[in-house]
Amino acid sequence: MPYTLITIPFSHFCEKARWALDHHGLGFEERAYLPLLHLAGAMPAGQRSVPILKAGEKTVGDSTDILHFCDQVGSGTRLFPATPLDEAQPDAIEAWEEEFDRRLGPAVRLAIYAVLLEHPGYTRDFMVSSGKGWQSSVMRLSFGAVRRAISKSYGITPERTQRARGRIDDLFARVAQTLADGRPYLGGESFSAADLTFASLAGPLVAPPEYGAPLPPLESAPDDLRRLIDDFRNTAAGDFVMRLYADRHALT
């Protein structure tokens, strides 16, 4: 069956879906769109956000649902155990995955955009280079409007950015504490949806070279973006993200 994944290429939620497809050996075509322009790909599928997985006549429109779908049809090891979420323990894989999705993903997005939008020339050039064909031209001409729309959509303010940073710090500390007993993965001995979700959603803060799409280039990055990434790379949880990405690259 042919699979098509509709994405914003550098989106960490889209990275989560890409990784699940790779993990399960499910070949796919990626149709990538820039922010706001992604509506051209999402709305025909009856959605407004990405990722969206199209599997024949079936459409799966949420990153966690995509992970579950891949578990059902793929050939890799299961990402989720059979235990239902309402029966899970607080440190169970499903509970970790849900918390990362609900708290880490939005906080990372806000923290990254809060820095990027302060540097419109750098961010415009990155987005233009990430698009193809007509998208690059439209982004070059309309970046000012896109910048304002992103800031308004995510409610980017200094206060919200500070709260997001605190949420990220808390989750990074909890991940480090969980791994401190020597376990290789959050759930114990096996790679799971918890690890995949944490690594992909934290990816833009750590900028592993193996990330599944180009991220804002560090060699020309403004100082505050470099500091932000250095801060999170220099943590135990940041090391964990880098290891997971290196392992993923070695297996593909």
Side-chain angles (χ1 to χ4, degrees):
M1 176 184 296
Y3 297 102
T4 300
L5 186 66
I6 301 170
T7 70
I8 294 171
F10 42 83
S11 159
H12 52 347
F13 283 104
C14 294
E15 171 74 347
K16 177 183 166 188
R18 264 195 304 263
W19 195 333
L21 288 159
D22 288 342
H23 173 80
H24 277 293
L26 298 170
F28 63 96
E29 174 194 0
E30 183 170 351
R31 294 185 186 170
Y33 295 86
L34 295 175
L36 295 190
L37 306 185
H38 74 277
L39 293 171
M43 291 184 73
Q47 308 284 332
R48 295 187 63 84
S49 62
V50 292
I52 298 168
L53 180 65
K54 302 192 75 173
E57 296 299 314
K58 185 179 180 66
T59 297
V60 188
D62 173 83
S63 64
T64 299
D65 290 344
I66 290 171
L67 265 62
H68 283 291
F69 176 82
C70 290
D71 264 1
Q72 293 167 10
V73 303
S75 59
T77 56
R78 285 186 61 90
L79 295 169
F80 289 99
T83 306
L85 179 59
D86 58 4
E87 297 177 13
Q89 297 300 312
D91 61 347
I93 289 163
E94 298 94 330
W96 274 120
E97 193 276 342
E98 182 185 44
E99 184 168 20
F100 294 147
D101 231 44
R102 179 174 52 85
R103 299 184 70 227
L104 180 65
V108 169
R109 181 173 56 204
L110 195 152
I112 289 288
Y113 271 129
V115 175
L116 289 177
L117 297 186
E118 289 296 312
H119 303 279
Y122 171 83
T123 303
R124 180 199 60 229
D125 291 347
F126 164 65
M127 288 195 179
V128 167
S129 71
S130 298
K132 295 181 179 179
W134 65 272
Q135 294 191 55
S136 293
S137 300
V138 171
M139 183 58 67
R140 184 177 289 108
L141 293 171
S142 62
F143 176 74
V146 170
R147 178 174 177 244
R148 290 189 295 272
I150 290 172
S151 181
K152 181 178 180 180
S153 176
Y154 298 135
I156 298 174
T157 65
E159 295 76 18
R160 285 175 57 83
T161 301
Q162 185 176 8
R163 288 199 297 271
R165 177 64 186 261
R167 194 172 303 132
I168 297 165
D169 288 340
D170 172 66
L171 287 167
F172 265 57
R174 286 173 54 200
V175 165
Q177 183 179 21
T178 299
L179 297 170
D181 62 4
R183 68 180 69 190
Y185 301 107
L186 287 168
E189 296 299 316
S190 300
F191 178 76
S192 73
D195 309 295
L196 185 156
T197 301
F198 179 71
S200 56
L201 297 188
L205 285 176
V206 180
E210 303 88 357
Y211 194 85
L215 290 169
L218 288 180
E219 60 272 13
S220 58
D223 289 344
D224 47 357
L225 180 59
R226 286 174 180 267
R227 285 194 299 270
L228 182 70
I229 290 172
D230 285 345
D231 284 350
F232 287 103
R233 278 185 171 179
N234 293 322
T235 63
D239 270 347
F240 178 55
V241 172
M242 296 293 271
R243 173 170 66 82
L244 291 176
Y245 267 96
D247 290 348
R248 174 194 180 189
H249 181 73
L251 293 172
T252 57

